[in-house]
Amino acid sequence: MTLMGGTVFAQAIPIAALAVLTRFYAPEDFGVFALFSALVAVLTVAATGRYELAILIPKRDDEAAQTALLALSCSVVAFAATLFLCAWRGDLLAAWLGDAGLARRLWLAPFAVLSGAALSTLTCWANRESAYRAISLSRVALSACSALASIGLGLAARSDGLLLGMVFGSLIGCAVLLPPILARLRRSPPDLAPAALWRQARRFSAFPRINLPHALLDSAQGMATLALIGGLFGAHALGLYAMAMRARTPMGVISASMGQVFQQRAARVAADGGDLRPLLKAQWRDLFKWLLPMLAGLAWAPWLFATALGPAWREAGVFVLILLPWLAMNFMVSSLSQLPLILGRQLGALRYGLLYQAALLAPLTLPYIWPGMSLRAVFAVLSGAASLALLSYAWWIWLIAKNAGRD
């Protein structure tokens, strides 16, 4: 409940700040910010080698500290590599992502990667220490400071204020997490010699070898989507799409929370050899009860966006309406994503994951085949294709739940 409360509050802050931010920043600025954030997300996933996920595993605290320092060390190397890349071929990278205007802001990318990777590592470390209050406060401080910094820089007419606010917020989030971790280290200083870190690197080598490629694939899909939209339709359209996707925030919070409960119950039923179908039916019934009022609200999206954010953002609300079937299906299915892992059906889940990513990316290539195709038409095809992919995935989930007791 501590983590949940902090997450909800942290999500509410940037949503409330949008009414102010959209008065200072144009859709083009939000488009560049979305592209920059997607690039940083991909680089941040790779920065730690995913070693931060292994911090919870060791029984001994000194080994956990060594693993955390290993992840932070990898982040410093990634910072240097990103700094070199942006200085050497930043203009080419920005052009490849579909927005050459991003080049003059790429100097911020290394600092965003370092702060984001450090925040992820410290969060995992604090989770091991059961410092849930610190994690919750960190999330709230990050959102609040990022929003305030972006508003302040917007007042100063800085078009890169959204990017600077993002980095500043991450740094504040790290600062909030440090006290309980440092207090723990002072009580029992670990052996942080390079040989000790190398032992942990070999011990958890599966994380960079296996987990990292899968995580990079997911992050790259999001970046490719933004790059295609920006390259084909420009930064203005990209900013409108990025704003439309913020409609998923309340959906994501509810779905993730219900998914955690479902995961715990499904694991217990599966371990006992029980029938998962009643649990699956109950989950879908509860999700549908939440979905109906959200659909009723999103039906007014064009008016809501124009009223709350300004007339320039009405088209983002239209995009929400077009993408609503996809958003609704994603809400109904995403909380079930752990069921294949519980039942040992990872390979099948990967196949459906690739199908889903293809359904998201393939429609964005249609303007190359039919020049002049509108973005609304592209989104209509994307919404239909992604909905069908998720529907097939939901049917497969039902089948493996039905057959779970027979395996």
Side-chain angles (χ1 to χ4, degrees):
M1 289 301 296
T2 300
L3 292 175
M4 181 71 173
T7 300
V8 172
F9 193 34
Q11 293 281 4
I13 292 173
I15 293 176
L18 282 178
V20 180
L21 291 172
T22 51
R23 267 64 180 182
F24 296 126
Y25 300 99
E28 290 81 359
D29 297 322
F30 279 92
V32 172
F33 175 68
L35 200 57
F36 178 86
S37 300
L39 173 63
V40 168
V42 173
L43 296 175
T44 302
V45 164
T48 61
R50 305 297 278 176
Y51 280 118
E52 81 277 14
L53 299 179
I55 294 174
L56 288 165
I57 297 176
K59 292 183 179 180
R60 292 167 46 185
D61 289 337
D62 60 335
E63 293 179 343
Q66 292 162 4
T67 307
L69 186 60
L70 173 64
L72 291 173
S73 300
C74 292
S75 303
V76 174
V77 174
F79 166 78
T82 306
L83 188 63
F84 174 75
L85 175 64
C86 292
W88 180 46
R89 285 290 186 266
D91 53 346
L92 184 63
L93 177 62
W96 178 71
L97 290 174
D99 185 359
L102 185 64
R104 63 180 182 273
R105 299 180 175 92
L106 276 181
W107 66 272
L108 272 170
F111 302 96
V113 170
L114 181 61
S115 60
L119 180 64
S120 178
T121 301
L122 293 175
T123 300
C124 291
W125 201 351
N127 191 17
R128 176 185 175 87
E129 300 296 327
S130 299
Y132 302 125
R133 180 177 174 82
I135 296 174
S136 184
L137 289 175
S138 172
R139 291 173 178 172
V140 174
L142 185 155
S143 294
C145 293
S146 178
L148 289 174
S150 297
I151 291 172
L153 291 167
L155 285 169
R158 289 290 300 264
S159 60
D160 57 356
L162 293 171
L163 283 63
L164 287 165
M166 170 185 171
V167 176
F168 179 69
S170 295
L171 291 173
I172 296 299
C174 290
V176 173
L177 289 172
L178 277 175
I181 293 173
L182 293 177
R184 180 68 165 178
L185 291 177
R186 283 193 295 266
R187 289 196 299 270
S188 54
D191 177 15
L192 300 179
L197 271 60
W198 179 243
R199 283 196 302 270
Q200 302 307 321
R202 288 183 297 175
R203 177 184 178 185
F204 298 116
S205 61
F207 283 84
R209 286 190 297 107
I210 299 175
N211 186 274
L212 179 57
H214 193 178
L216 282 175
L217 183 64
D218 290 340
S219 299
Q221 180 269 316
M223 186 175 70
T225 298
L226 295 173
L228 285 170
I229 294 174
L232 288 168
F233 298 99
H236 182 87
L238 179 59
L240 294 174
Y241 169 77
M243 187 62 69
M245 288 299 95
R246 290 177 182 253
R248 294 189 301 177
T249 299
M251 289 182 160
V253 171
I254 296 170
S255 179
S257 303
M258 295 181 68
Q260 289 177 330
V261 178
F262 176 79
Q263 178 185 356
Q264 187 260 356
R265 292 177 176 172
R268 187 169 62 242
V269 172
D272 295 336
D275 188 353
L276 285 165
R277 287 175 294 174
L279 183 63
L280 194 55
K281 289 180 180 178
Q283 179 76 353
W284 272 327
R285 183 176 60 250
D286 292 341
L287 285 167
F288 190 69
K289 290 178 181 178
W290 281 100
L291 180 63
L292 286 178
M294 287 190 288
L295 290 178
L298 291 176
W300 296 86
W303 177 82
L304 290 172
F305 276 67
T307 303
L309 307 181
W313 296 96
R314 186 184 184 279
E315 186 68 9
V318 175
F319 290 166
V320 171
L321 287 182
I322 297 172
L323 296 171
L324 207 52
W326 165 44
L327 297 178
M329 279 301 304
N330 187 65
F331 175 76
M332 294 295 293
V333 171
S334 60
S335 66
L336 312 175
S337 60
Q338 296 299 319
L339 188 58
L341 303 181
I342 293 171
L343 299 177
R345 301 296 185 94
Q346 294 93 327
L347 183 58
L350 177 60
R351 290 169 180 164
Y352 277 96
L354 293 174
L355 173 66
Y356 178 57
Q357 291 178 359
L360 290 174
L361 290 176
L364 294 172
T365 65
L366 292 177
Y368 291 108
I369 303 173
W370 292 289
M373 187 177 186
S374 70
L375 186 54
R376 289 187 179 186
V378 170
F379 281 160
V381 176
L382 184 153
S383 184
S387 297
L388 289 175
L390 289 172
L391 186 61
S392 66
Y393 178 67
W395 175 245
W396 178 70
I397 287 285
W398 173 257
L399 291 179
I400 63 174
K402 179 180 179 181
N403 297 323
R406 306 174 189 173
D407 293 344

